[in-house]
Amino acid sequence: MGRAPCCDKANVKKGPWSPEEDVKLKDYIDKYGTGGNWIALPQKIGLKRCGKSCRLRWLNYLRPNIKHGGFSEEEDSIILSLYISIGSRWSIIAAQLPGRTDNDIKNYWNTKLKKKLLGRQKQMNRQDSISDSTENNVSNNNNKSTPQNLSNSALERLQLHMQLQNLQNPFSSFYNNPILWPKLHPLLQSTTTTTPNQISKLASQESFHPLGINVDHQNNNIKLAEINNGVSPLYSENVEQSLNPAQEFQPSFGFSQDLRLDNHNMNLMNRGHSKELFQVGNEFELTTNGSSWWSEEVELERKTTSSSSWGSASVLDQTTEGMFMLQDYAQMSYHSV
DNA sequence: AATCCTTGCAACCGCGTAGTA
DNA sequence: TTACTACGCGGTTGCAAGGAT
């Protein structure tokens, strides 16, 4: 037995909206607002439409200040960086692009931007296969170890990640690309030991992590995806446990620490000693054993069974996604010396 | 000119979640 | 605590327009 329909399907019009319908809906909402009830709205206006359809039409098309098409390079960069960081969380990505809707961005990504970027990678792969048989070729490693049922999303993000690395010259990392990361957290650019004072100083600056997570150590506060100036953070929460100023920290590379991902919480752990809590919106625990992120030594503990936020990807897919994020952003964690 | 194929985008569908009684 | 309702989100579909053959 399926879910009860949200409206009487038989008496509801489907398909493209007519200009008359648009006018009716827009006029009414301009005058009276939605009334907090989309389901009842079409009846009030006299539209033979489902409430959900009205809502969608309003949000994606009729709402004021909506922009369609003509994405700028800057918008491309923001979309790309957020997609690699958080995946297909279109509403979150849209929140960082004023005037853009999640549907618009989703369509733009699926039909243009993704092809544009992955197309470039194909070109580069061709060049690689002709001129380079380097043992460390990431593509070769990829072919060897990528799980067959790796989700499309994870694979895309992986491909994009690798491509973006390739796009840099050998002496420049992905993370230092000012186009991709307009405001890169200075901690990530350092490979040397960072003292608490340095961390404190850095944290007080207006700087952001490419993942979109900004850690304010002074206030034990986290802001997620605060990318555009003047745009309110998508998420902000006090961390569970503050950094101990008496300890000395250094940026941690590789996978020497455990990473735990809960529902909406990502704990970067240091072998059981939780340091930070980050909100990322996932629902599993992931543990690595200090090995390569491609390695098989990954333990996964599924905490809950439902996770629509990350689509229908399998647990293995999600593992890979987690690994991807871990590899990318492990640098942001610290372990005590 | 006709047909087929591809692309872009609006809209739909189903599910998870939050709010409330 | 449970059941119900509505909202919001992301994946998917349908179709029109344009291009290729």
Side-chain angles (χ1 to χ4, degrees):
Chain A
M1 190 174 141
R3 145 183 310 229
C6 63
C7 51
D8 183 3
K9 303 280 182 189
N11 295 317
V12 157
K13 185 185 170 191
K14 290 169 73 174
W17 281 63
S18 69
E20 293 76 23
E21 288 175 312
D22 282 347
V23 168
K24 272 187 177 179
L25 181 60
K26 191 170 189 314
D27 282 353
Y28 184 88
I29 294 178
D30 283 346
K31 284 180 188 171
Y32 309 108
T34 63
N37 189 343
W38 283 107
I39 302 298
L41 193 73
Q43 287 183 333
K44 291 181 189 170
I45 312 174
L47 280 176
K48 288 193 171 183
R49 287 279 181 177
C50 174
K52 287 176 82 169
S53 179
C54 293
R55 175 183 164 272
L56 207 65
R57 185 64 179 171
W58 170 256
L59 291 176
N60 289 340
Y61 199 82
L62 299 174
R63 195 161 46 113
N65 304 320
I66 291 289
K67 285 190 280 184
H68 289 285
F71 281 80
S72 66
E73 288 289 321
E74 188 184 359
E75 287 175 313
D76 286 0
S77 299
I78 292 171
I79 294 168
L80 174 61
S81 59
L82 284 172
Y83 183 85
I84 291 172
S85 298
I86 62 175
S88 56
R89 313 282 283 274
W90 304 117
S91 60
I92 294 177
I93 295 172
Q96 300 302 317
L97 298 171
R100 300 295 187 186
T101 68
D102 53 356
N103 205 40
D104 215 18
I105 293 170
K106 179 172 59 181
N107 283 333
Y108 179 59
W109 173 262
N110 285 329
T111 60
K112 292 179 183 174
L113 195 52
K114 183 172 70 178
K115 289 173 185 172
K116 190 167 121 186
L117 293 161
L118 294 178
R120 268 193 241 158
Q121 194 209 1
K122 280 182 184 173
Q123 276 188 329
M124 296 188 73
N125 285 347
R126 265 202 302 274
Q127 289 173 355
D128 284 350
S129 66
I130 293 169
S131 63
D132 185 11
S133 58
T134 308
E135 288 162 19
N136 293 330
N137 187 304
V138 182
S139 297
N140 292 339
N141 291 339
N142 183 15
N143 290 338
K144 285 176 186 169
S145 12
T146 303
Q148 282 190 333
N149 56 347
L150 182 65
S151 73
N152 288 338
S153 171
L155 189 58
E156 279 168 21
R157 288 161 65 191
L158 171 63
Q159 288 177 323
L160 287 167
H161 173 76
M162 292 190 302
Q163 179 204 345
L164 287 166
Q165 284 186 320
N166 288 337
L167 286 173
Q168 310 305 311
N169 69 51
F171 306 103
S172 158
S173 81
F174 170 67
Y175 302 101
N176 291 332
N177 185 342
I179 296 173
L180 295 171
W181 314 120
K183 289 188 173 184
L184 186 62
H185 199 296
L187 278 175
L188 300 180
Q189 297 175 340
S190 169
T191 58
T192 58
T193 298
T194 308
T195 66
N197 284 343
Q198 287 173 313
I199 291 173
S200 177
K201 191 176 178 182
L202 291 170
S204 67
Q205 296 171 359
E206 187 77 5
S207 55
F208 303 104
H209 184 269
L211 180 56
I213 297 171
N214 190 36
V215 184
D216 179 349
H217 290 273
Q218 290 183 325
N219 298 318
N220 299 332
N221 200 44
I222 295 169
K223 293 175 181 178
L224 174 62
E226 187 176 25
I227 287 178
N228 288 341
N229 289 335
V231 175
S232 58
L234 295 169
Y235 177 77
S236 179
E237 182 176 289
N238 288 334
V239 297
E240 273 185 340
Q241 187 176 343
S242 63
L243 293 171
N244 180 356
Q247 288 178 294
E248 186 178 354
F249 296 95
Q250 66 182 24
S252 172
F253 298 92
F255 301 96
S256 57
Q257 73 285 346
D258 293 347
L259 178 73
R260 172 166 299 188
L261 294 170
D262 288 53
N263 183 22
H264 301 297
N265 297 306
M266 177 171 74
N267 288 307
L268 292 177
M269 305 185 70
N270 186 17
R271 286 287 169 213
H273 302 97
S274 179
K275 294 298 180 193
E276 299 280 351
L277 170 68
F278 299 101
Q279 173 113 356
V280 296
N282 209 341
E283 269 185 346
F284 56 89
E285 292 184 3
L286 175 69
T287 304
T288 63
N289 293 324
S291 50
S292 156
W293 71 290
W294 279 118
S295 98
E296 51 290 87
E297 295 182 59
V298 175
E299 299 168 25
L300 181 74
E301 291 177 47
R302 184 77 177 161
K303 286 191 71 178
T304 58
T305 53
S306 64
S307 177
S308 73
S309 299
W310 288 78
S312 55
S314 68
V315 170
L316 180 58
D317 298 338
Q318 295 192 6
T319 305
T320 311
E321 290 194 2
M323 289 159 60
F324 177 72
M325 293 177 68
L326 176 62
Q327 193 247 4
D328 282 347
Y329 304 113
Q331 298 168 69
M332 71 186 288
S333 67
Y334 320 105
H335 63 77
S336 51
V337 176

